[in-house]
Amino acid sequence: MTQTFTTDPELRPTPEFKTDEYVPLKKEVYVKKETGLDAMAGDGGYQEGTLAGAIRMKMRRDNKRFWAGDNISDYLHDSDKEHLIDEATTAFEKVLDALLIDRENDPNSKGTARRLAKMYFNEVMAGRYEQAPDATAFPNDSQDRYEGMLVVRSELRSMCSHHHQPVSGVAYIGIIAAEKLIGLSKYTRIAQWCARRGTLQEELCNDIAREIMKATASENVAVYVQAVHGCCENRGIMAHSSLTQTTVLRGTFKDDPHTKKEFFDNIKLQQEFAPR
Ligand SMILES: [Zn+2]
C-alpha cells in the first residue's frame, strides 16, 4: 500500500507553491445517476466518458474477463471499432507526447498514433475483437471415412502480452479425425485467430487446442508450437536464436505413446519438408 503524505498548508505552507498561481489540471468527471454505470463510480478511472470505458464497465459488471489474450467480440458492435480506433489514437498521441516525440514536425511520427491504433485493432490484436472464424464442418461418417491422423502446419504471428513484442513461429496441429471434418485452411484460421492477441505461448497453445476441439468435436487433439519471442531478442537477454517450444496433448495423444510418437514423427517430416 502506498501512503501519500501531504503537508498541511495551515501548519507548514510550502513556500514555492502559491495556489493563486496554479490551476487544477484534472477535471472532475461525472456520470448520470441510475444508468447502471453510477454503481461503479469511483472505481479506478472507469468513469472517463469513453466508449472503451463503457465497454469495460459492462464487462466488469458481467464478470467477463478481458485479459490481453481474451476474445471480447461479444461486447462489441460492428460500428464500435472505428470509434475505438479514434479513442486509441488520442491515447497513443498522449503516449508519444509523454515519450517527448515531436509528432507535429517529425514526418515519420505524424500519423503514428493512428497507425498504432489501427494496427492493434485490425492486425496484431484482431483476434480479441473478431468473432471466431466460421469453420463449417463436413460429416465424416461414411463407410470409408478417414480415421487417420491429420497434422497441419500453421504459420503464427503473435505478440507477448508482457512487452507487446512480436512472437513468430509455427503451430503443428494434430487431430484424429472424428465424425466431423473442417476444411484444412480452417485449422490455420483458428490458430491465427487465437494468436492475434496479446498472449503467453503456453496459453496460446491451450487456446488453439480448445478451439480446434470445439470446431471439430474431436477429443483427440495435439498442438505443438515453436516460436521466437521479440521480448528475448530485442530487449532483456538479447538472445537472437532462442526458441520456445510448447506442447498440449489431449485424449489419445496424451494416453497412447504410439499416437504421440506418430505426431512428433510427422512434425519432423514436416520440418524436413519446410524448415522454418
Ligand atoms: Zn514479453
Side-chain angles (χ1 to χ4, degrees):
M1 209 179 100
T2 7
Q3 272 184 305
T4 319
F5 296 96
T6 34
T7 328
D8 186 339
E10 296 260 317
L11 293 172
R12 195 186 294 171
T14 320
E16 66 272 37
F17 182 85
K18 294 189 201 125
T19 42
D20 56 343
E21 285 180 8
Y22 289 83
V23 285
L25 251 187
K26 280 188 185 168
K27 280 191 204 147
E28 289 274 1
V29 184
Y30 296 91
V31 65
K32 204 170 181 329
K33 271 191 181 178
E34 283 141 25
T35 52
L37 304 183
D38 56 319
M40 301 185 81
D43 190 6
Y46 283 80
Q47 299 298 325
E48 69 233 45
T50 58
L51 176 61
I55 296 171
R56 278 202 306 272
M57 264 187 278
K58 268 195 221 165
M59 294 191 288
R60 286 167 70 93
R61 183 197 59 200
D62 298 352
N63 284 323
K64 156 74 185 157
R65 206 178 75 164
F66 54 103
W67 294 4
D70 291 332
N71 180 278
I72 55 163
S73 56
D74 283 347
Y75 284 80
L76 300 183
H77 297 289
D78 288 346
S79 55
D80 287 349
K81 219 172 170 185
E82 279 311 303
H83 196 99
L84 290 167
I85 288 174
D86 286 344
E87 288 180 2
T89 300
T90 311
F92 277 123
E93 282 169 355
K94 285 186 187 147
V95 173
L96 293 170
D97 290 348
L99 291 170
L100 308 173
I101 293 170
D102 184 353
R103 57 185 175 84
E104 270 106 59
N105 297 303
D106 174 359
N108 298 312
S109 301
K110 257 183 187 168
T112 296
R114 180 158 292 275
R115 273 193 293 273
L116 282 170
K118 283 168 86 173
M119 179 187 79
Y120 270 85
F121 277 97
N122 297 332
E123 291 164 315
V124 295
M125 279 203 173
R128 300 191 72 229
Y129 311 109
E130 288 167 5
Q131 297 276 348
D134 171 43
T136 316
F138 304 98
N140 182 38
D141 51 9
S142 62
Q143 282 267 304
D144 57 348
R145 72 194 196 99
Y146 182 70
E147 289 176 326
M149 183 184 295
L150 202 79
V151 179
V152 179
R153 180 184 195 273
S154 304
E155 294 276 343
L156 287 186
R157 292 291 176 272
S158 189
M159 190 180 87
C160 79
S161 41
H162 293 142
H163 303 94
H164 289 205
Q165 287 287 303
V167 174
S168 62
V170 278
Y172 293 91
I173 302 164
I175 182 170
I176 307 292
E179 263 85 84
K180 290 201 282 180
L181 287 179
I182 58 170
L184 289 180
S185 67
K186 302 300 182 198
Y187 292 95
T188 299
R189 279 193 202 289
I190 291 170
Q192 284 174 346
W193 176 67
C194 293
R196 297 310 245 169
R197 306 173 192 182
T199 54
L200 280 183
Q201 189 175 323
E202 300 89 325
E203 207 176 73
L204 174 60
C205 215
N206 270 329
D207 288 352
I208 296 173
R210 189 189 57 242
E211 294 300 330
I212 296 291
M213 287 170 89
K214 241 193 246 174
T216 58
S218 174
E219 306 270 284
N220 306 308
V221 168
V223 179
Y224 166 77
V225 173
Q226 63 177 46
V228 288
H229 290 245
C231 60
C232 299
E233 295 199 321
N234 304 335
R235 51 160 299 289
I237 57 169
M238 307 274 266
H240 291 282
S241 56
S242 61
L243 186 69
T244 307
Q245 300 168 298
T246 44
T247 312
V248 169
L249 303 171
R250 300 273 187 256
T252 175
F253 285 94
K254 191 179 172 197
D255 303 330
D256 175 31
H258 297 289
T259 309
K260 184 177 169 181
K261 187 177 180 303
E262 189 186 336
F263 176 56
F264 283 105
D265 286 348
N266 268 309
I267 292 174
K268 262 182 239 151
L269 287 171
Q270 291 243 20
Q271 289 184 332
E272 277 163 30
F273 178 69
R276 54 159 275 102

